[in-house]
């Protein structure tokens, strides 16, 4: 299965995130940073705080420091995204949230990781 969802065109020169299934170069999402900010702002911390993708996003670590960067605890990251109240999001971030969840599910079903490339 190949993803080639482009949610970045038109934002050239702005921060770009590429979420890609490791070892599957055709399974990726290109996303404008503003959309990632909207989605990650809608993730709420668990009882013991931030974990996985949300933790690194809120601490400005991980993909901000190295690229490509492997998402730790991918199943936790998926759970976080699936728990987002999408009614808080505009239409395009909702579509991206759905695409991210699908990408993470495919990676998990194949026992692969997802990496983030940040530019």
């Amino acid at each position: 299965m190949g993803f080639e969802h482009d949610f970045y065109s038109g934002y050239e020169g702005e921060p770009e995130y590429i979420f890609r299934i490791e070892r599957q170069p055709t399974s990726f999402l290109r996303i404008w940073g503003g959309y990632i900010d909207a989605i990650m702002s809608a993730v709420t911390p668990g009882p013991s705080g931030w974990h996985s993708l949300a933790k690194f996003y809120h601490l400005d670590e991980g993909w901000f420091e190295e690229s490509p960067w492997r998402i730790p605890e991918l199943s936790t990251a998926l759970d976080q995204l699936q728990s987002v109240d999408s009614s808080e999001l505009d239409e395009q971030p909702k579509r991206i949230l759905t695409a991210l969840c699908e990408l993470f599910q495919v990676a998990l079903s194949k026992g692969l990781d997802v990496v983030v490339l940040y530019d």
Side-chain angles (χ1 to χ4, degrees):
M1 169 182 282
F3 295 83
E4 291 192 43
H5 301 292
D6 183 359
F7 300 104
Y8 180 74
S9 291
Y11 294 99
E12 290 78 5
E14 299 280 333
E16 175 185 16
Y17 297 82
I18 299 173
F19 289 78
R20 187 185 76 218
I21 296 177
E22 197 169 45
R23 297 191 309 253
Q24 297 207 345
T26 62
S27 298
F28 68 92
L29 299 170
R30 291 181 69 214
I31 306 170
W32 171 54
Y35 293 139
I36 293 297
D37 292 341
I39 291 167
M40 296 309 296
S41 294
V43 173
T44 57
S48 60
W50 300 110
H51 295 284
S52 187
L53 187 61
K55 175 183 176 182
F56 291 96
Y57 173 82
H58 288 287
L59 293 176
D60 288 329
E61 295 179 355
W63 67 77
F64 298 106
E65 300 171 330
E66 63 182 74
S67 181
W69 175 76
R70 184 172 291 107
I71 297 174
E73 305 172 57
L74 186 59
S75 62
T76 301
L78 176 59
D79 290 343
Q80 289 172 338
L81 293 178
Q82 289 175 327
S83 71
V84 167
D85 179 1
S86 63
S87 69
E88 297 179 17
L89 300 173
D90 292 334
E91 199 56 39
Q92 189 71 326
K94 282 182 192 178
R95 291 181 57 225
I96 294 165
L97 177 62
T98 299
L100 278 169
C101 289
E102 184 180 337
L103 185 82
F104 289 13
Q105 288 169 334
V106 168
L108 286 167
S109 73
K110 294 182 178 194
L112 297 173
D113 290 321
V114 172
V115 294
V116 180
L117 294 92
Y118 176 70
D119 185 24

